[in-house]
Amino acid sequence: MRLTSIFTPRIIEAVDVYEEIVKLRREGRRGAVATIVSVQGSVPSYRTAKMLVRDDGSIAGTIGGGCVEAEVWQAAKEVIDQEKPRTLKFNLNHDPKLDTGLVCGGTVEIFIEPVLPLALLYLFGAGHVAQNIYKIANIAGFQVCVIDDRASYASRDRFPEAHELIAEDFDTATASLTPSSKSYIVIVTRGHKDDMRLLRWAVQTGARYVGMIGSKRKVIAIHQSLREEGLPESLFQNVYAPIGLDIGALTPEEIGVAVCAEMIAIRRRSESKLPHMSWFLRQPTPERNGALEHEGSATGGPQP
């Protein structure tokens, strides 16, 4: 087999792909890794060869070059956008568009998986429910920042593995935070007023997920108050309130599972129809002025 080809030349970085993946995640960026997982016959590379495609289109490593690599690069861009893996299979013997003069044959299968930055969860409140959300979210791979206005609650004793602890007045704390489209915000404070001012701030951050604890009655009342202040309806499109999936959760532990399951569904872009409790997701019109319903929600009350 001749290893040279007339494929379009591409500048390949002589770097360790694994190191580049770690670097990319530390920078809070996205990418996709293409790996040759199956080879039959002669191909211009080897099994387990890897190529990293960054979110700006640059690459590190190679899976053999040429038209195959170009198609994989394009597919990797789609994987980055969709944040879902996919597998491609190329037949170098029978696919005319791959016939560029390379003296190789056979088939190659390539697995492309997304590289995502660690999801950062801003958890407002440090009571019993917050503790259980923190525990499960930490296991699920979220970096958790716990914020509470009580130093005795936002402590290492209660949240030993938290990425960050902030014990300040909520207004002071939010002034120093800059959530992005990769961030998640969960509001489980002990008071209606704190929940309202935090939701006011959260919907204007562009966070990927905003969840607030409370009954449907409380959620509707807060929403109407914020709309009367002049906040546009479009800001509430990523709000999940009442928070969590409707799995009949009652205890703080069960509520923690329901909330984290909902965040994971958003993180993985689940296309399945899920039983969200969120009143926001159930409204057919933007005004959302339906009748107030009963308060029977597992996350219906303030949490200490």
Side-chain angles (χ1 to χ4, degrees):
M1 181 183 73
R2 190 175 68 199
L3 294 181
T4 58
S5 75
I6 61 172
F7 287 164
T8 303
R10 184 186 294 271
I11 298 175
I12 305 299
E13 301 176 17
V15 295
D16 187 306
V17 171
Y18 294 103
E19 290 181 355
E20 289 299 305
I21 293 172
V22 172
K23 180 180 177 182
L24 198 70
R25 296 191 73 193
R26 284 176 177 170
E27 294 174 352
R29 296 172 56 190
R30 299 185 300 164
V33 177
T35 304
I36 296 180
V37 294
S38 177
V39 172
Q40 294 181 354
S42 299
V43 297
S45 192
Y46 58 94
R47 188 174 181 180
T48 74
K50 296 181 182 295
M51 179 178 73
L52 170 66
V53 179
R54 304 183 185 89
D55 49 12
D56 62 2
S58 64
I59 66 173
T62 180
I63 52 172
C67 295
V68 169
E69 188 164 288
E71 287 202 28
V72 170
W73 179 86
Q74 183 60 48
K77 295 289 288 182
E78 296 173 4
V79 167
I80 294 171
D81 291 338
Q82 299 170 5
E83 298 185 359
K84 291 185 176 181
R86 61 187 296 187
T87 300
L88 301 179
K89 190 170 184 178
F90 299 92
N91 188 327
L92 303 183
N93 290 309
H94 301 114
D95 194 336
K97 66 182 179 181
L98 301 178
D99 181 11
T100 59
L102 181 69
V103 186
C104 290
T107 60
V108 57
E109 191 171 349
I110 300 171
F111 178 65
I112 310 172
E113 57 187 314
V115 175
L116 305 175
L118 291 175
L120 179 57
L121 166 61
Y122 293 99
L123 181 57
F124 289 91
H128 299 307
V129 168
Q131 271 193 305
N132 285 281
I133 294 174
Y134 147 79
K135 290 176 183 177
I136 300 169
N138 190 54
I139 293 172
F142 290 84
Q143 285 188 325
V144 186
C145 174
V146 180
I147 306 104
D148 198 280
D149 55 358
R150 302 164 292 178
S152 60
Y153 276 71
S155 67
R156 284 293 170 192
D157 288 339
R158 293 172 60 80
F159 302 91
E161 298 181 17
H163 175 67
E164 186 177 2
L165 292 169
I166 299 176
E168 294 179 337
D169 174 80
F170 289 123
D171 288 337
T172 302
T174 54
S176 64
L177 300 177
T178 54
S180 69
S181 59
K182 306 178 187 69
S183 303
Y184 297 71
I185 298 174
V186 168
I187 303 170
V188 286
T189 75
R190 65 191 186 281
H192 176 94
K193 291 183 178 179
D194 286 335
D195 288 348
M196 181 171 171
R197 60 175 170 159
L198 286 169
L199 184 63
R200 181 189 296 113
W201 165 80
V203 297
Q204 299 180 77
T205 63
R208 184 167 184 172
Y209 172 94
V210 176
M212 184 183 72
I213 201 167
S215 67
K216 187 175 294 186
R217 182 180 298 273
K218 166 188 167 180
V219 169
I220 293 174
I222 289 179
H223 171 260
Q224 289 178 338
S225 295
L226 295 178
R227 290 286 285 116
E228 289 171 2
E229 291 180 9
L231 293 183
E233 184 66 35
S234 59
L235 292 180
F236 296 87
Q237 62 183 356
N238 292 329
V239 174
Y240 293 77
I243 194 172
L245 296 183
D246 190 1
I247 59 173
L250 294 175
T251 67
E253 294 81 4
E254 291 171 347
I255 294 171
V257 171
V259 172
C260 289
E262 186 169 71
M263 290 194 299
I264 291 170
I266 301 304
R267 182 183 184 184
R268 299 305 183 191
R269 300 178 185 268
S270 173
E271 297 178 358
S272 302
K273 187 175 181 180
L274 300 173
H276 295 280
M277 288 193 291
S278 178
W279 170 73
F280 288 83
L281 301 181
R282 297 179 177 180
Q283 302 310 301
T285 63
E287 291 304 319
R288 300 176 179 177
N289 288 324
L292 301 181
E293 298 186 19
H294 68 278
E295 298 187 28
S297 166
T299 54
Q303 303 299 323

